[in-house]
Amino acid sequence: LDKGLIVSFGEMLIDFVPTQSGVSLAESTGFLKAPGGAPANVAIAVTRLGGRAAFVGKLGDDEFGHMLAGILRENGVEDKGINFDKGARTALAFVTLRSDGDREFMFYRNPSADMLLRPDELNLELIRSAKVFHYGSISLITEPCRSAHLKAMEVAKEAGALLSYDPNLREPLWSSPEEARTQIMSIWDKAEIIKVSDVELEFLTQNKTIDDESAMSLWHPNLKLLLVTLGEKGCRYYTKGFHGSVEAFDVNAVDTTGAGDSFIGAFLSQIVDDQTVLEEEERLRKVLRFANACGAITTTKKGAIPALPSEYDALSLLKD
Ligand code: ADP
């Protein structure tokens, strides 16, 4: 039997990461290319675990864009939803974690191809075939991509897909925190599954205390499941009927990039064909243990895409 399709919508870009660790961008003498972008990472997280995924988004018709499309294809991600922009170039980011602990970012996005996806370019047939439609927030920032995002979400919903949202606030592309909050909240009540990190929960509630009350303040009537990831502390889950937490795995974390994408991709791959899991706590906890295992494995290797686990990797950690 064919597995259900997970369509992941949004950006894909290349992170240039310094070859030495702890340096500022200005100090770096060389960079490594790390393909990423949360929605693309999620699509690959799904296929690496044996699921079916498609990526919908736009790349530049340039060397980097074709390299990224190739990475999706090599990983078994369906490419019929990828558009190439004739004018604008593929998004690029220069990212470093400085020795003072701060992340420094520089973006090539003025605008980049990913922000230029138009509603009329969407592959609606592909989107209508999704069992789960997953998306982030960066595509909400400017037109025409915002309209494309809203349309894709609506078409997927009408066709019966489950809507899954990860705001992914890490990339500081908004002009202000208020703008970020407003845009995220403008689509908040559409999603049926939402995954936020503890940092995002704090940002969205503007409340420093991370507890059940602050999480539940974000609840809305269409929501079936709210997931809060807590890094090495695992995750918390909230549904209409029950809530609780699932512990993380004890691993030697070297780079947490992509852990959240791995977590949500793994989660979606396990519920796409049977959404009754969302209503049964014991089964939900089992799936979250699997997702925590996948997140943990992703932290044990550098980069996001190279560190996403296979089903064998995940089951091996679960057996230990
Ligand atoms: P995000 O990448 O969105 O900030 P987290 O860092 O919370 O998300 O990671 C997502 C999941 O990955 C966590 O819920 C956890 O299961 C796993 N994880 C992340 N960091 C670690 C860690 N240091 N040790 C073990 N598991 C981790």
Side-chain angles (χ1 to χ4, degrees):
L1 203 78
D2 238 7
K3 294 189 173 158
L5 181 71
I6 296 171
V7 169
S8 194
F9 176 93
E11 71 282 4
M12 184 173 198
L13 73 167
I14 300 177
D15 282 340
F16 287 85
V17 191
T19 42
Q20 321 98 288
S21 55
V23 298
S24 69
L25 291 177
E27 283 163 346
S28 180
T29 52
F31 291 91
L32 295 173
K33 286 203 263 314
N41 294 344
V42 170
I44 297 177
V46 169
T47 56
R48 199 154 294 164
L49 290 166
R52 280 178 67 220
F55 175 75
V56 173
K58 204 173 199 187
L59 300 166
D61 192 5
D62 51 28
E63 200 180 318
F64 290 138
H66 289 284
M67 177 191 132
L68 292 175
I71 289 167
L72 290 168
R73 274 186 221 111
E74 277 161 30
N75 281 283
V77 175
E78 193 161 310
D79 64 357
K80 289 190 210 112
I82 303 175
N83 292 275
F84 290 95
D85 197 272
K86 290 286 170 221
R89 302 187 63 86
T90 302
L92 305 176
F94 290 83
V95 191
T96 188
L97 182 61
R98 293 194 312 237
S99 50
D100 61 10
D102 278 340
R103 234 173 245 280
E104 191 185 340
F105 284 91
M106 257 175 64
F107 286 98
Y108 173 83
R109 260 204 167 118
N110 57 345
S112 47
D114 51 348
M115 311 303 279
L116 296 177
L117 180 67
R118 297 189 314 267
D120 64 280
E121 291 177 305
L122 293 169
N123 182 337
L124 298 181
E125 194 186 329
L126 176 72
I127 293 169
R128 284 195 191 100
S129 68
K131 283 270 181 297
V132 170
F133 184 77
H134 176 80
Y135 48 93
S137 306
I138 291 172
S139 41
L140 290 171
I141 294 177
T142 54
E143 291 294 353
C145 196
R146 181 179 166 85
S147 293
H149 183 143
L150 297 177
K151 179 171 178 188
M153 224 166 66
E154 190 183 301
V155 167
K157 179 72 206 155
E158 266 173 23
L162 184 77
L163 300 187
S164 159
Y165 180 36
D166 178 350
N168 267 304
L169 272 166
R170 209 164 326 147
E171 295 190 37
L173 285 170
W174 280 278
S175 57
S176 69
E178 290 71 36
E179 188 194 356
R181 248 181 241 113
T182 306
Q183 285 187 342
I184 290 168
M185 285 305 163
S186 73
I187 57 159
W188 191 258
D189 59 358
K190 303 275 190 307
E192 295 158 288
I193 294 181
I194 295 177
K195 174 226 156 236
V196 291
S197 66
D198 44 2
V199 178
E200 288 160 349
L201 180 62
E202 184 183 322
F203 175 81
L204 292 171
T205 58
Q206 294 180 264
N207 181 352
K208 286 233 174 301
T209 324
I210 307 291
D211 57 13
D212 292 344
E213 198 182 331
S214 72
M216 286 311 283
S217 72
L218 292 174
W219 190 264
H220 66 74
N222 290 330
L223 197 56
K224 293 182 173 152
L225 175 67
L226 174 65
L227 294 168
V228 181
T229 58
L230 308 164
E232 61 188 20
K233 296 203 195 77
C235 67
R236 296 193 60 75
Y237 57 89
Y238 300 87
T239 74
K240 273 197 193 90
F242 49 81
H243 67 267
S245 55
V246 180
E247 266 180 38
F249 288 82
D250 190 9
V251 292
N252 181 19
V254 296
D255 175 9
T256 61
T257 312
D261 304 330
S262 175
F263 172 92
I264 190 66
F267 180 81
L268 295 176
S269 77
Q270 300 302 296
I271 60 119
V272 60
D273 291 313
D274 184 2
Q275 295 168 18
T276 63
V277 175
L278 303 176
E279 289 145 33
E280 295 172 29
E281 188 165 13
E282 276 322 300
R283 288 173 67 210
L284 180 69
R285 292 180 61 84
K286 208 172 152 210
V287 170
L288 289 172
R289 241 175 80 73
F290 181 81
N292 276 348
C294 291
I297 291 167
T298 305
T299 70
T300 62
K301 278 191 220 156
K302 277 203 165 182
I305 293 172
L308 295 168
S310 66
E311 191 176 25
Y312 177 84
D313 298 332
L315 295 177
S316 305
L317 181 61
L318 283 162
K319 256 200 328 236
D320 283 346

